[in-house]
Amino acid sequence: PPPASHRAGAAPRGLSPRYLGCGRAHGGGPKDYNSRRAPRPSPASICRAAAVFASRFHRLPEPPHVCWDETHFGKMGSYYINRTFFFDVHPPLGKMLIGLAGYLSGYDGTFPFQKPGDRYEQHNYMGMRGFCAFLGSCLVPFAYLTVLELSKSLPAALLTACILIFDTGCITLSQYILLDPILMFFLMGAVLSMVKCNACADRPFSASWWFWLSLTGVNLAGAMGVKFVGLFVVLLVGLNTIYDLWDLLGNLSLSLVMFGKHLLARVLCLILLPLALYTAMFAVHFTVLNKSGPGDGFFSSAFQSQLIGNNLHNVSIPEHLAYGSVVTMKNLRMAGGYLHSHWHLYPEGVGARQQQVTAYLHKDLNNLWIIKKHDSDTDPSSPVEFVRHGDIIRLEHKETSRNLHSHQHEAPLTRKHFQVTGYGINGTGDSNDFWRIEVVGRKPGKLIKVLRSQVRLTHVATGCLLGSSGKTLPKWGWEQVEVTCTPYLKDTPNSLWNFEDHINPKLPNISLDVLKPSFAEILLESHMVMIRGNSGLKPKDNEVTSKPWHWPINYQGLRFSGVNETDYRVYLLGNPVVWWLNLFTIGLYLLTAISTAVALKRGVQLSSELKELSRVVLHGGGQIALGWLLHYLPFFMMGRVLYFHHYFPAMLFSSMLTGITWDTLLKFFARFLSPSTAARRVYGGGILALVLLIVYSFYLFHPLSYGMIGPMASDPSSPMAGLRWMDSWEF
């Protein structure tokens, strides 16, 4: 038989079960894990919560000017207050909440948020900063409660809380008008709710079980509604749910009817509820933003017709296209512009020296084209003849009377594309002016609707498609967008157009309300525009970007405010001890988890307390490690521009993993010591040493978060001299 210290129910030598934080001394094995409750928070927890909020709200008004991305998200909050439509690559919830916080705190939405460094003066910005700081403060108790539930260990939860309280990066990111604290609030809320729901597994369909399951769904919708990276926590909860259902399916004491109830409950709370809430966010978004604004041009003409102040709002125009109509054509790619021409010619050496044809982002008389038959002019006295799918047409530029033309000369900027020009005199040209008009998804002979029909123009002579490349022409092209004829015959937004303005005195006008898109069409269009916008995000000139491998090692921070010695400087950088401890712990956890799994697989006899520790490592730590992987690894596959702050959701998981791993390892090593007082000293001393190291590092680096004025760190007289431990740190 195993020694007494290894028998089930016996405490490891030198460390009492109470001090292990594993619940009861007897019956503490995995079977009754769900029936045990976490220790209740003590009055000291209230003091810790006060420390959290104090760290986030300290010097919150400083600096009293726009910092970093406040110029974007503060401005978008103003747009909501003013009900002005705008476009952003992220879903709307975060900006709506910022706008709501500003409105409720007395901000009137009049500050322009033009650029970083602009002073707020008399404008009330504290409501928006305070709202973000409050949500950022909530991350610490969320992480504390999550670790407490997974490990049943108060010291592990305290260590996690200490890491997040004293991390300079988390403090900085929480103190400004940004989406990150809002995203991480819902993300951590979803993780905590998931863990709490798992703890109620022995009481399915109870009130508490339904509450936590539903709250998980609400937080998933919130995370997705702030940024698309909320999908990562959706995936984490989804994998946890699949694991739970698979485990329930293998429980032969559970009837298939009861299993079906479990499945339906999760579908209701984790799929249908989040989808309903996510859709409702967009309904509110489009209802509030009902005035024309800077985001109009990113959306279709049909959508723009619903915006008050847009030139298409409450306008009546003919519904179907006819020969002799004067029209404007809008490219469907994001910010693709209107088909445009002017008297200027292409310069020498750029294709044929003919009239330029471009895409122009603004309304202009040079955007007007006349639709004509390819083989004759339209007789004004003849009856109306409609343009149909498959017709061959000419497009004559109204201002210059030149035809839309293409030939096999190379386009100005895009290789292997053909040049598009204006050619001919008073509408008389050649066969290279002929285009076949086709409607996507329609049959030959069908009429073409203004606003709604998506059309492509195929050049009859070469077979290429008229499109906008999205590239900006040099100054000789007035920095307008290049139009080409592409031989690659794919229906992409670049090669699709719709007719917007339509003038034809012979045709009856109809209100554009008849053509307005449904909510489902608007929702789909908005997501397509956001996805294209995200994929098109590229670094600007002299912009500081980073690579995913930089992030865990705290390689490079971000300037939030100030550059010179006289500026109030804030620099986003993690507490070095915290970040390097987290990185080291990830490797340590992998070794610990592998060793534990091998020991269990080999049938090593463990006491109930060691079984509990192994459960914490593999089950609790495994969930957190999976969360870290899901919130970090996908960035290696992204083609868009990336920044240091993208790592902070993953950093929350690595911090929780640090608390669980070190607590477990210290308990494991303390069990070999005798008497119990020595074990307690080693265990408590280890936790205390980590906490003191973190706090001391925060003491050294806290000016990064709360502001620096004076000499740079490279100056020996600077208070930060000697703290620039890596050359890539730019404070």
Side-chain angles (χ1 to χ4, degrees):
S5 61
H6 284 196
R7 291 175 197 154
R13 193 169 48 204
L15 200 61
S16 70
R18 178 188 64 79
Y19 202 83
L20 276 165
C22 296
R24 301 177 182 87
H26 301 283
K31 288 185 180 180
D32 69 335
Y33 158 62
N34 289 320
S35 65
R36 292 178 285 104
R37 298 182 180 274
R40 293 193 176 194
S42 64
S45 299
I46 300 174
C47 297
R48 288 189 293 270
V52 175
F53 285 91
S55 68
R56 269 59 179 172
F57 281 84
H58 178 60
R59 304 193 72 173
L60 189 63
E62 301 295 332
H65 60 244
V66 177
C67 294
W68 196 51
D69 270 359
E70 284 189 326
T71 186
H72 299 303
F73 302 120
K75 183 186 298 181
M76 292 169 187
S78 298
Y79 285 145
Y80 278 107
I81 294 172
N82 297 315
R83 307 193 68 176
T84 303
F85 187 76
F86 68 94
F87 163 72
D88 185 42
V89 296
H90 305 299
L93 179 61
K95 284 94 64 178
M96 282 198 290
L97 292 175
I98 288 172
L100 180 62
Y103 177 76
L104 294 177
S105 61
Y107 170 59
D108 58 5
T110 57
F111 186 73
F113 286 97
Q114 289 182 344
K115 64 183 184 301
D118 288 350
R119 297 188 68 82
Y120 286 113
E121 302 296 346
Q122 77 281 4
H123 295 276
N124 186 355
Y125 62 99
M126 281 299 295
M128 294 182 283
R129 277 194 184 175
F131 171 72
C132 293
F134 174 78
L135 296 189
S137 302
C138 292
L139 301 179
V140 178
F142 284 1
Y144 172 90
L145 293 172
T146 300
V147 171
L148 192 62
E149 191 62 61
L150 288 173
S151 67
K152 307 300 178 188
S153 172
L154 189 61
L158 288 175
L159 179 58
T160 301
C162 178
I163 288 171
L164 295 180
I165 289 173
F166 296 108
D167 180 60
T168 51
C170 286
I171 291 173
T172 305
L173 211 58
S174 299
Q175 288 196 312
Y176 298 94
I177 306 170
L178 302 172
L179 295 185
D180 301 89
I182 308 174
L183 169 68
M184 293 190 290
F185 172 84
F186 287 112
L187 184 153
M188 286 302 300
V191 173
L192 175 61
S193 302
M194 176 189 75
V195 168
K196 287 287 189 179
C197 184
N198 290 343
C200 298
D202 61 331
R203 311 185 294 280
F205 307 109
S206 63
S208 59
W209 186 86
W210 278 111
F211 172 78
W212 290 114
L213 187 65
S214 301
L215 192 58
T216 304
V218 170
N219 283 302
L220 291 180
M224 272 293 298
V226 177
K227 283 188 176 184
F228 283 130
V229 292
L231 275 171
F232 301 154
V233 75
V234 172
L235 186 57
L236 175 64
V237 173
L239 292 174
N240 176 79
T241 303
I242 291 171
Y243 176 84
D244 283 347
L245 289 173
W246 185 252
D247 190 50
L248 289 171
L249 188 62
N251 185 355
L252 299 182
S253 64
L254 195 72
S255 69
L256 289 178
V257 172
M258 185 58 67
F259 175 79
K261 290 181 179 179
H262 275 277
L263 177 62
L264 287 176
R266 286 161 174 82
V267 169
L268 175 65
C269 294
L270 301 181
I271 298 178
L272 297 181
L273 177 61
L275 283 177
L277 293 174
Y278 183 76
T279 305
M281 294 171 200
F282 280 89
V284 174
H285 170 72
F286 291 122
T287 301
V288 172
L289 302 183
N290 63 353
K291 296 179 182 178
S292 178
D296 295 16
F298 293 93
F299 286 76
S300 67
S301 306
F303 175 83
Q304 293 181 44
S305 67
Q306 301 179 97
L307 297 173
I308 299 170
N310 189 280
N311 68 307
L312 296 175
H313 184 66
N314 284 339
V315 172
S316 296
I317 60 174
E319 180 179 10
H320 295 106
L321 219 58
Y323 289 104
S325 294
V326 178
V327 299
T328 59
M329 292 177 59
K330 187 174 187 295
N331 188 255
L332 297 190
R333 78 179 300 277
M334 188 176 65
Y338 297 91
L339 187 66
H340 176 96
S341 189
H342 40 236
W343 287 105
H344 303 279
L345 306 181
Y346 286 101
E348 290 286 350
V350 181
R353 189 164 168 76
Q354 296 174 6
Q355 186 169 295
Q356 296 175 16
V357 172
T358 64
Y360 189 47
L361 298 178
H362 306 283
K363 303 284 184 179
D364 191 86
L365 290 176
N366 281 325
N367 299 341
L368 296 174
W369 300 81
I370 305 171
I371 300 180
K372 295 191 173 183
K373 292 185 177 181
H374 73 286
D375 54 358
S376 64
D377 282 334
T378 304
D379 186 352
S381 61
S382 63
V384 172
E385 185 176 349
F386 289 104
V387 180
R388 298 178 182 273
H389 173 98
D391 283 2
I392 296 176
I393 65 170
R394 276 188 301 123
L395 283 172
E396 181 182 314
H397 190 242
K398 187 174 186 298
E399 292 296 308
T400 63
S401 299
R402 299 274 174 85
N403 295 329
L404 186 69
H405 177 98
S406 187
H407 42 227
Q408 293 190 353
H409 290 273
E410 193 170 71
L413 302 179
T414 308
R415 296 185 61 188
K416 299 184 179 179
H417 284 211
F418 299 142
Q419 183 188 33
V420 176
T421 68
Y423 178 76
I425 300 173
N426 293 325
T428 301
D430 61 22
S431 58
N432 280 332
D433 304 339
F434 300 160
W435 302 83
R436 180 180 293 106
I437 186 168
E438 298 170 308
V439 182
V440 176
R442 300 293 292 275
K443 295 180 180 179
K446 294 293 185 180
L447 299 181
I448 298 172
K449 286 187 175 183
V450 177
L451 298 185
R452 299 304 299 275
S453 294
Q454 297 182 3
V455 304
R456 55 178 171 262
L457 290 175
T458 305
H459 192 241
V460 175
T462 62
C464 59
L465 295 178
L466 181 72
S468 167
S469 69
K471 299 177 181 178
T472 302
L473 293 168
K475 289 187 177 181
W476 57 256
W478 303 94
E479 297 182 342
Q480 296 174 8
V481 179
E482 180 192 38
V483 168
T484 69
C485 200
T486 171
Y488 305 108
L489 307 181
K490 294 181 180 179
D491 285 338
T492 65
N494 297 53
S495 59
L496 294 177
W497 306 79
N498 72 267
F499 292 95
E500 186 170 289
D501 296 292
H502 184 205
I503 305 167
N504 194 322
K506 295 183 179 181
L507 294 175
N509 292 334
I510 64 165
S511 171
L512 290 184
D513 287 341
V514 178
L515 303 176
K516 69 179 183 181
S518 65
F519 173 71
E521 290 173 317
I522 294 173
L523 186 65
L524 178 62
E525 179 183 356
S526 65
H527 280 77
M528 294 302 295
V529 172
M530 285 189 290
I531 290 169
R532 289 202 299 266
N534 262 302
S535 62
L537 286 176
K538 304 299 178 186
K540 302 172 186 175
D541 292 339
N542 302 319
E543 188 175 23
V544 177
T545 61
S546 60
K547 296 179 175 60
W549 68 265
H550 291 171
W551 303 339
I553 62 176
N554 215 22
Y555 178 77
Q556 188 177 34
L558 272 172
R559 287 197 185 99
F560 265 45
S561 172
V563 177
N564 303 314
E565 292 186 4
T566 56
D567 294 336
Y568 188 97
R569 302 189 303 278
V570 176
Y571 191 70
L572 177 67
L573 187 75
N575 182 330
V577 169
V578 166
W579 284 59
W580 294 339
L581 177 65
N582 285 352
L583 181 62
F584 174 73
T585 303
I586 290 169
L588 190 63
Y589 170 77
L590 289 175
L591 291 175
T592 304
I594 292 171
S595 302
T596 303
V598 169
L600 292 174
K601 196 70 175 176
R602 295 297 298 171
V604 175
Q605 294 293 321
L606 301 175
S607 67
S608 60
E609 281 71 27
L610 286 181
K611 287 180 181 178
E612 176 69 7
L613 290 180
S614 66
R615 183 204 61 77
V616 170
V617 168
L618 297 178
H619 177 75
Q623 281 185 299
I624 300 302
L626 179 61
W628 177 79
L629 289 172
L630 291 176
H631 286 80
Y632 178 50
L633 293 185
F635 286 103
F636 285 94
M637 297 175 279
M638 290 187 185
R640 56 154 290 174
V641 61
L642 298 173
Y643 303 99
F644 176 50
H645 70 102
H646 287 140
Y647 182 70
F648 276 81
M651 181 267 178
L652 296 176
F653 286 96
S654 65
S655 298
M656 291 189 286
L657 188 64
T658 296
I660 291 174
T661 302
W662 282 98
D663 177 76
T664 304
L665 288 176
L666 287 171
K667 285 173 181 173
F668 176 77
F669 289 116
R671 67 182 294 276
F672 294 105
L673 299 176
S674 183
S676 60
T677 53
R680 284 196 293 272
R681 285 173 184 167
V682 169
Y683 174 71
I687 297 291
L688 183 61
L690 291 173
V691 169
L692 292 177
L693 191 61
I694 291 166
V695 172
Y696 181 67
S697 180
F698 171 75
Y699 167 75
L700 293 177
F701 287 93
H702 75 274
L704 299 180
S705 297
Y706 298 130
M708 304 167 282
I709 297 177
M712 308 295 278
S714 55
D715 190 326
S717 63
S718 168
M720 303 299 289
L723 294 178
R724 198 160 168 257
W725 297 345
M726 297 180 72
D727 292 337
S728 52
W729 294 353
E730 299 173 326
F731 57 82

